[in-house]
Amino acid sequence: MSNDQFKLNIDGRDIDVPRHYTLMQACEAAGAEIPRFCYHERLSVAGNCRMCLVEWQGAPKPIASCAQTVGEMRPNPDGTAPVIRTQGDYVEKARSGVMEFLLINHPLDCPICDQGGECDLQDQAVAYGRSGSRYDLNKRAVEDKNMGPLVKTIMTRCIQCTRCVRFAAEVAGVEELGMISRGESAEITTYLEHSLTSELSGNVIDLCPVGALTSKPYAYNARPWELRKTTSIDVMDAMGSAIRVDAKGNAVMRILPTVNEEVNEEWLSDKSRFVWDGLARQRLDTPYVRRDGRLSPASWGEAFVAVKDALSGRPEAIGFIAGDLVEVEQAKAGLDLARRLAVQNTDCRPAGAAYGVDGPREQYLLNSSFMAVEEADALILIGCNPRQDAAVWNARIRKAWLWNDLKVHLIGDPVDLTYDYDHLGTGPEGLAALDTLSGASRPMIVVGEDVLLRPDGQAILAAAHAAALNIGAIQDGWAGFGVLHNAAGRVGALDVGFVPGPGGLDTAGMLSGKLDTLVLMGGDELDLSGLGTTKVIYIGHHGDAGAARADIILPCAAYTEMSATYVNTEGRVQMTRAAVEPKGEAREGWAIFRAMSDSLGHTLPYDTADALREGLRAERPHFAGLGFAPAEAGVEALRAPMAGTGTPDLAVPFGARRGDFYLTNPIARASKTMAECSLQHRGLETAVAAE
Amino acid sequence: MALRRFDLEAGGTDFSFAPETEDKIAFWLGKYPSEKKRSAVIPLLWLAQKDNAGWLSEPAMRAVADRLEMPYIRVYEVATFYTMFRLRPVGRHHIQLCGTTPCMLRGAHDLKEVCRDRIGEPFAITDDARLSWEEVECLGACVNAPMVQINDYYYEDLTPERFASVLDQLRNGVDVAPGTFVDRQRSAPLGGATSLLDAGLFDGSRLAQAHLPNLPEPVTDTAQPAAPARTTLIDVQPGPPPERVETASERVDDLRKIKGIGPKAVTQLQALGIYQFAQIAAWSPADVSRIEAALSGAGRVGREDWIAQARLLVQANKEA
């Protein structure tokens, strides 16, 4: 037995576990099931619910196994391993006693409680509790608290496990939740009932083991057993968090995170979690064609006639733009069609971007994985705000900062990132300070996508890349240089080569009104005001800016309605799965292009999405590696110097993140919940600014 | 315990510490490293309460949080946890009436009635804003039960009549001296001492040989004048006396630097001729057992590792 192992006898079985294990982990390693409320493996140990009691032979009292470190246990007097029992009368009596106390003040309102059916307290009361109550005095009641538009509170149900308090303080990094008063009067609240300001606040709903904190938008909508659960991938940011889409009939009822240790652990940002009501509003469910200045519903056939008319002009006067949410299949089909029509004006990047046209894909990926930040000892953020662009990753950065002594440096707008950082400057002049950071052994440099949209974006990227080579961010086994994107579709579209062909116009060029026809795949965030007389064929799922400007609208499926490929900012290829049917006449994006190609006489060579993907994998093998992030595999490609033109413009600071965190895409803009969040958030910002 | 919430209306929007409080704040902050200054939250809340007419308003709490760079919620948790922080306005004289068992047995209920009669319900403030009261748990003056605390002082051995008169005086702007209200010195018995009255107890005349019944009779050497017998539970083996070392006074080391050696052991060691670290460093096992016997502490030298400590100190002295 090595020195860092500890021998235990659990339920008659000898087991060796690492000394730093808690007794609860040891019991689970031995196959025992330990009930718990306050313990959560990603939060600090509180030890206040007492549900995890086990028997330690010889100890005078039952032991709270979550708070007992194995290495600190004494052996028996005769030197044998401590004997633990997780079953038997003693333990059962202890647990049923704890359960009885927990239930004393817990209301018996399970029939009207949204947690019903997925409630830890309910489940454990069945498993460990008494069959009836012996308590016939008055129960206490607690006032409900306002925590903002996302979290509904019924505080009488609270059992004071403090998971939410610990989450806010430790993971989210906003100390806004607390337990006030004491004893019977103890209550969980925000400070004077201010709303939570964290963009991760929805996670307290998952953490709450009872029905005290539930989802406000989902309130009274469905029971968990009625829901059809589909695991999928989120597209609200470029992280590709693992989600579970719960649907009833053809409606998405809620979105929950699932565990993906490499991406989102088990957290989810509020935008990803609560955007689902936007999937039912402002939807395009039938093709539209503009006749006499008004958009009127049309059949697919009529629409394709109009499309054929619009796309039969000179190829130089036709353009294709892929927006932020476009899936790989649609981008691929759109690009293939464009090239068959001899159109070189294709772009998937926002106006102003010059990156990603040539060179290896490592030049626009994050390269280092999200997880790698936990191994890094320095993180340099250049013009990027991970709290907005990758809120869940920001929590991981905070974790690394909190526990691993990660040093964070920021060049850009000095925003509150929930951790301390060393502010090296607000603009490109801060890049000069990078060379002084050579002390780190595993530094990581992350450039925000917004930086690349500046006229000097390539120069800054090249300068940052040179600094990365210089300070050792790119070394064997460590690819610590990359770009943090904020749009789910961008990397996938770049991967299929959705950039201007030889002599083709880029996004800014296409939007300047030079074209006769523009095929707009999403792209509602673009400034369409300069289009002039350009005819717009809009392919999208929401009636947003693009649809308003469109002359022909072809409705496509949203991310919950199709099985589609997305590539996250790490370069990780992942697939969503269809949880519900597309709305009305809407079709999957690639299928629209396939049908369009047929009507244009340039039939694309695939009849199914699988055939499309197969072709894609043959063309670009990395699409075969589902779920795989290249990370340090990209080191060699990163070593090549980056071609930067011009010099960084020192006079222009990196701007604040454009747009509103809650309203970055058409689905979010259609969501009432997101609108409320945005309103509240802006109200907050005004209040702070006024101080 | 009722719900404790800030009286936001009465608290207004502003609070600032009194200028003379700054010294006290500096004192408390000085006790903790600057990165752990939140340790001073309770004293600072207390000072804020004192500067805010005896209660803690929300702006006052925020002032404390800002000083300590703590999130408001964390300070709020502390302020609501401890009932000594009053979150609602109180009268100029706030009465904390002890209702715990000894006081209750000695008539705290009657005092409560007086409060109800003269002031009203707990936390009600009289119209002239002079008085308010609350019931608290034990204030640790059970000998003088029943008692109340008015602002910072104890008023003890009360009866309803005496208490009522105290309240009336305070209400009329007359200060009342704190302390007991009966004929006694602090917590001493009523009317003076009842035991330990013999003056001989205190003049040293009773210093005599203590005789513990179960100890063996001391062997008295008739040739020597009888010395007062030492009563010790450890069998002392009188060994050969240690070599006496004559030392100049400036060569006396501060033996207390050795962990385990206190002032008493220093005296004993010096009586045995041990003045310097070097001597301890040079002890043989025989020396150790002899010294331990003399110090009545078997195994102490080894357990506390005096010799190794002494060697280090010798080294340190040389280097210095």
Side-chain angles (χ1 to χ4, degrees):
Chain A
M1 186 172 76
S2 70
N3 216 11
D4 51 357
Q5 294 290 103
F6 192 88
K7 202 179 267 302
L8 281 167
N9 181 301
I10 296 174
D11 292 334
R13 197 182 137 196
D14 284 321
I15 183 167
D16 281 336
V17 293
R19 297 186 77 89
H20 66 266
Y21 264 33
T22 62
L23 185 52
M24 178 185 272
Q25 288 173 302
C27 290
E28 293 192 327
E33 187 184 308
I34 308 290
R36 85 285 304 264
F37 294 112
C38 71
Y39 176 83
H40 192 279
E41 54 270 27
R42 292 181 212 275
L43 303 175
S44 63
V45 171
N48 53 10
C49 78
R50 316 312 286 180
M51 195 60 203
C52 61
L53 295 176
V54 297
E55 179 184 4
W56 177 4
Q57 197 178 50
K61 296 188 288 186
I63 306 293
S65 60
C66 71
Q68 175 70 50
T69 310
V70 163
E72 287 167 4
M73 295 176 76
R74 289 161 172 243
N76 289 329
D78 60 1
T80 54
V83 176
I84 303 295
R85 275 192 284 270
T86 68
Q87 284 151 19
D89 291 347
Y90 183 84
V91 175
E92 274 168 30
K93 187 177 172 202
R95 287 179 187 164
S96 106
V98 168
M99 182 54 82
E100 189 170 15
F101 274 116
L102 287 175
L103 292 178
I104 273 184
N105 278 315
H106 190 83
L108 195 60
D109 62 351
C110 301
I112 56 148
C113 174
D114 260 332
Q115 193 85 352
E118 50 185 5
C119 174
D120 289 356
L121 189 66
Q122 201 177 34
D123 296 348
Q124 292 182 32
V126 172
Y128 303 99
R130 301 168 58 87
S131 54
S133 174
R134 297 186 291 179
Y135 184 77
D136 54 5
L137 303 174
N138 289 333
K139 292 187 175 220
R140 80 171 191 153
V142 183
E143 291 165 9
D144 294 342
K145 308 290 187 293
N146 167 41
M147 290 194 191
L150 302 177
V151 182
K152 180 185 170 185
T153 63
I154 300 187
M155 297 316 288
T156 302
R157 295 177 186 151
C158 176
I159 59 168
Q160 280 87 40
C161 70
T162 69
R163 273 186 186 180
C164 51
V165 177
R166 284 175 282 147
F167 174 83
E170 294 164 17
V171 180
V174 291
E175 295 207 56
E176 293 176 343
L177 276 170
M179 184 157 79
I180 60 160
S181 292
R182 60 200 283 190
E184 201 195 11
S185 311
E187 299 176 38
I188 301 288
T189 184
T190 51
Y191 182 66
L192 301 181
E193 302 200 27
H194 293 158
S195 301
L196 290 168
T197 60
S198 171
E199 57 294 310
L200 295 172
S201 64
N203 292 296
V204 300
I205 298 168
D206 291 343
L207 286 171
C208 185
V210 298
L213 306 179
T214 54
S215 167
K216 206 174 246 182
Y218 170 73
Y220 306 128
N221 268 1
R223 283 299 190 188
W225 55 85
E226 302 170 330
L227 298 171
R228 197 172 60 247
K229 296 150 184 103
T230 314
T231 52
S232 188
I233 297 299
D234 172 62
V235 301
M236 291 299 121
D237 53 33
M239 282 191 72
S241 300
I243 54 169
R244 192 186 89 191
V245 181
D246 283 6
K248 190 161 83 169
N250 204 29
V252 175
M253 303 306 284
R254 63 172 175 179
I255 293 172
L256 298 175
T258 57
V259 177
N260 185 341
E261 216 52 70
E262 296 179 25
V263 180
N264 58 324
E265 304 175 79
E266 62 176 89
W267 314 125
L268 196 57
S269 85
D270 286 350
K271 185 164 50 171
S272 308
R273 181 188 297 264
F274 293 106
V275 77
W276 52 265
D277 69 322
L279 290 165
R281 288 198 177 86
Q282 294 276 51
R283 291 305 300 270
L284 301 172
D285 55 358
T286 183
Y288 287 83
V289 176
R290 195 177 287 275
R291 296 185 185 106
D292 307 329
R294 289 180 61 86
L295 283 169
S296 53
S299 70
W300 277 103
E302 289 164 0
F304 279 141
V305 169
V307 166
K308 186 172 182 184
D309 183 42
L311 288 183
S312 44
R314 294 176 300 125
E316 304 80 55
I318 298 174
F320 282 64
I321 292 180
D324 286 358
L325 297 182
V326 166
E327 72 275 16
V328 168
E329 287 81 355
Q330 185 181 163
K332 170 72 178 152
L335 184 69
D336 285 353
L337 178 63
R339 293 292 183 262
R340 267 160 204 262
L341 295 173
V343 170
Q344 303 299 341
N345 306 328
T346 49
D347 204 352
C348 67
R349 303 161 303 168
Y355 66 96
V357 183
D358 45 20
R361 73 194 280 256
E362 279 73 15
Q363 293 193 354
Y364 55 81
L365 296 183
L366 181 65
N367 293 311
S368 47
S369 63
F370 292 134
M371 255 180 136
V373 75
E374 295 184 41
E375 295 161 35
D377 52 2
L379 173 68
I380 299 112
L381 301 168
I382 300 174
C384 95
N385 178 355
R387 193 173 175 188
Q388 290 225 327
D389 291 345
V392 178
W393 189 45
N394 198 52
R396 204 194 279 260
I397 298 174
R398 178 178 157 80
K399 182 166 89 176
W401 170 79
L402 207 55
W403 303 110
N404 303 358
D405 215 17
L406 173 75
K407 297 270 178 297
V408 184
H409 309 271
L410 176 76
I411 304 173
D413 204 26
V415 290
D416 177 11
L417 291 176
T418 72
Y419 38 83
D420 293 340
Y421 54 78
D422 174 21
H423 191 225
L424 300 178
T426 51
E429 82 282 358
L431 291 167
L434 283 186
D435 293 333
T436 62
L437 300 172
S438 49
S441 65
R442 290 165 93 78
M444 194 186 228
I445 296 183
V446 176
V447 182
E449 195 197 3
D450 292 354
V451 172
L452 307 182
L453 308 185
R454 295 161 54 107
D456 57 351
Q458 282 309 96
I460 294 171
L461 189 65
H465 180 256
L469 285 169
N470 192 20
I471 64 170
I474 300 167
Q475 49 173 295
D476 288 336
W478 183 256
F481 175 80
V483 178
L484 181 66
H485 287 268
N486 46 43
R490 189 96 66 241
V491 174
L494 287 168
D495 275 355
V496 300
F498 209 106
V499 288
L505 294 172
D506 65 2
T507 301
M510 284 187 266
L511 291 177
S512 61
K514 292 177 195 159
L515 300 179
D516 293 339
T517 305
L518 175 64
V519 179
L520 196 56
M521 302 145 75
D524 301 270
E525 293 72 30
L526 300 170
D527 177 12
L528 305 176
S529 58
L531 277 175
T533 56
T534 306
K535 203 163 202 184
V536 175
I537 302 173
Y538 177 78
I539 300 168
H541 37 74
H542 275 75
D544 205 78
R549 173 63 184 76
D551 297 289
I552 303 164
I553 294 174
L554 305 176
C556 71
Y559 72 111
T560 49
E561 295 152 9
M562 59 184 168
S563 297
T565 310
Y566 283 92
V567 187
N568 80 356
T569 190
E570 297 168 290
R572 189 188 299 273
V573 180
Q574 302 188 107
M575 283 195 74
T576 62
R577 286 172 63 202
V580 292
E581 294 292 315
K583 297 284 176 214
E585 294 291 307
R587 294 289 181 269
E588 291 186 18
W590 76 271
I592 295 173
F593 281 105
R594 170 66 178 72
M596 204 193 282
S597 71
D598 213 22
S599 74
L600 291 170
H602 293 276
T603 311
L604 294 174
Y606 26 76
D607 295 333
T608 62
D610 279 339
L612 186 156
R613 285 180 207 122
E614 209 167 296
L616 194 58
R617 283 197 287 267
E619 201 178 308
R620 296 176 197 265
H622 70 258
F623 277 106
L626 262 193
F628 167 76
E632 64 272 11
V635 172
E636 279 317 309
L638 272 179
R639 284 211 167 108
M642 227 174 242
T645 48
T647 48
D649 183 356
L650 300 183
V652 186
F654 297 128
R657 171 89 177 84
R658 73 206 138 93
D660 186 326
F661 167 72
Y662 295 102
L663 302 176
T664 50
N665 62 51
I667 309 177
R669 283 190 290 272
S671 159
K672 224 170 130 184
T673 315
M674 289 297 106
E676 275 177 55
C677 286
S678 164
L679 207 62
Q680 177 215 310
H681 193 70
R682 276 181 283 148
L684 203 81
E685 279 183 345
T686 328
V688 172
E691 263 175 28
Chain B
M1 193 164 49
L3 284 179
R4 287 159 42 76
R5 296 273 200 275
F6 280 121
D7 187 335
L8 294 171
E9 204 171 309
T13 54
D14 297 312
F15 168 82
S16 54
F17 283 104
E20 59 272 21
T21 311
E22 294 297 336
D23 282 347
K24 296 177 189 167
I25 294 175
F27 166 79
W28 285 106
L29 290 179
K31 291 175 80 111
Y32 306 103
S34 60
E35 73 275 16
K36 304 223 161 119
K37 60 182 166 190
R38 52 168 62 188
S39 301
V41 62
I42 292 179
L44 256 63
L45 283 172
W46 186 243
L47 291 173
Q49 172 160 300
K50 279 193 178 297
D51 280 359
N52 193 55
W55 71 288
L56 190 67
S57 65
E58 195 263 344
M61 193 220 77
R62 275 194 280 122
V64 172
D66 290 341
R67 290 225 176 201
L68 300 176
E69 292 169 19
M70 289 172 75
Y72 295 156
I73 185 73
R74 294 280 97 87
V75 185
Y76 189 37
E77 286 176 325
V78 175
T80 53
F81 185 91
Y82 293 102
T83 51
M84 70 185 207
F85 298 120
R86 297 181 281 266
L87 309 183
R88 293 197 267 164
V90 293
R92 185 189 298 170
H93 306 283
H94 183 68
I95 293 138
Q96 291 172 278
L97 189 150
C98 174
T100 308
T101 316
C103 282
M104 185 197 74
L105 292 172
R106 297 274 291 157
H109 280 314
D110 298 334
L111 299 189
K112 269 193 248 178
E113 282 313 308
V114 174
C115 282
R116 286 215 164 80
D117 182 47
R118 291 285 199 282
I119 304 170
E121 287 306 301
F123 279 107
I125 308 173
T126 50
D127 294 339
D128 52 10
R130 282 189 197 269
L131 297 179
S132 62
W133 76 285
E134 68 179 308
E135 183 181 338
V136 297
E137 301 307 326
C138 186
L139 291 169
C142 312
V143 175
N144 299 59
M147 56 80 66
V148 300
Q149 179 182 346
I150 301 179
N151 291 347
D152 289 341
Y153 294 100
Y154 281 11
Y155 293 74
E156 300 161 327
D157 297 306
L158 298 168
T159 60
E161 297 73 31
R162 288 183 203 125
F163 184 42
S165 116
V166 169
L167 292 189
D168 291 343
Q169 289 180 66
L170 289 174
R171 199 154 184 186
N172 289 318
V174 181
D175 281 340
V176 186
T180 178
F181 278 71
V182 293
D183 173 26
R184 76 196 315 187
Q185 186 191 11
R186 297 202 169 88
S187 302
L190 278 176
T194 57
S195 56
L196 302 175
L197 297 172
D198 184 350
L201 282 171
F202 309 109
D203 61 7
S205 59
R206 289 224 187 173
L207 280 177
Q209 179 188 333
H211 178 75
L212 300 183
N214 291 334
L215 280 184
E217 284 297 314
V219 183
T220 45
D221 188 344
T222 46
Q224 299 273 324
R230 289 182 55 197
T231 55
T232 164
L233 294 175
I234 293 178
D235 197 12
V236 179
Q237 298 287 336
E243 277 177 54
R244 286 199 76 89
V245 183
E246 293 302 326
T247 47
S249 58
E250 66 268 24
R251 289 298 305 128
V252 176
D253 288 328
D254 182 5
L255 297 180
R256 283 180 298 173
K257 283 187 180 164
I258 294 178
K259 266 185 208 143
I261 298 186
K264 189 178 165 207
V266 170
T267 318
Q268 288 172 318
L269 287 170
Q270 287 180 345
L272 293 171
I274 311 286
Y275 294 96
Q276 296 178 344
F277 298 137
Q279 290 173 286
I280 298 179
W283 278 351
S284 67
D287 289 334
V288 169
S289 53
R290 195 181 65 236
I291 300 284
E292 282 179 343
L295 295 184
S296 326
R300 180 173 169 188
V301 173
R303 192 169 61 239
E304 291 160 356
D305 214 0
W306 290 6
I307 296 175
Q309 290 191 57
R311 281 188 192 134
L312 287 175
L313 288 162
V314 169
Q315 197 69 31
N317 276 354
K318 271 188 202 153
E319 282 163 13

